[in-house]
Amino acid sequence: MKKAKNIYYLDDDFDDLGFFKEIVEELGHDVKVFSDGRKMLLVLEIQDERPDFIFLDIHMPVLNGEEILEIIKKSDDLKDIPVVMVSGAYPKKLLQYCSDMGVTCLVKRHNFQEFKQNIAEVLKQLEVIKA
């Protein structure tokens, strides 16, 4: 049996946090959800164990997903953690930015069933990367 992955998810929408948590746990992984980017960064700083993957919502108040991504990618301790950006839209500017920043994958947030399928597919891809 494959080892459960430790996943962090940042989103300011509590419904989306709940959906994501339900999906990821159903797929057999452990997940910590955050609604505040500063709090997630603090946990990343003080925790000895790093997450296997980080999922970031792009549109957030205070610190948005792009700002959090830049902090993660500039950190020697965090930069190697695969990051997946989550958004309801994919403007060309965002695709280029994510590519330039080394984002592992983009996931479009649809309805619950499509979101679940997209996350399952991304997690399979990420497991291959981390193997």
Side-chain angles (χ1 to χ4, degrees):
M1 184 172 182
K2 65 183 176 189
K3 181 182 179 274
K5 300 297 183 190
N6 183 21
I7 299 166
Y8 283 15
Y9 180 51
L10 174 66
D11 197 319
D12 62 323
D13 184 305
F14 289 101
D15 288 337
D16 289 342
L17 287 172
F19 290 151
F20 187 88
K21 185 172 177 57
E22 181 180 329
I23 291 166
V24 172
E25 288 176 346
E26 194 174 293
L27 294 169
H29 300 289
D30 300 318
V31 64
K32 289 183 183 172
V33 295
F34 301 88
S35 60
D36 180 330
R38 292 174 299 192
K39 194 174 287 185
M40 187 188 80
L41 289 171
L42 179 63
V43 170
L44 283 167
E45 187 178 308
I46 63 174
Q47 289 278 6
D48 289 333
E49 185 179 348
R50 298 285 180 227
D52 293 296
F53 315 119
I54 299 173
F55 285 70
L56 298 174
D57 179 31
I58 292 173
H59 303 290
M60 301 269 304
V62 186
L63 283 174
N64 66 39
E66 293 175 28
E67 293 166 324
I68 298 290
L69 175 66
E70 288 183 25
I71 292 167
I72 290 170
K73 292 300 180 182
K74 288 179 181 175
S75 167
D76 288 337
D77 293 333
L78 305 175
K79 67 182 176 187
D80 294 327
I81 300 170
V83 175
V84 176
M85 301 300 282
V86 179
S87 179
Y90 283 0
K92 282 186 180 181
K93 181 175 104 176
L94 174 63
L95 292 172
Q96 186 61 52
Y97 171 80
C98 288
S99 176
D100 292 347
M101 290 299 295
V103 169
T104 304
C105 190
L106 279 166
V107 173
K108 190 167 184 178
R109 185 177 30 242
H110 301 284
N111 62 49
F112 180 80
Q113 194 58 39
E114 289 181 35
F115 193 39
K116 179 178 180 179
Q117 183 178 344
N118 289 344
I119 291 170
E121 289 172 11
V122 167
L123 287 175
K124 283 181 190 176
Q125 292 172 7
L126 291 173
E127 288 173 12
V128 169
I129 291 169
K130 288 288 269 195

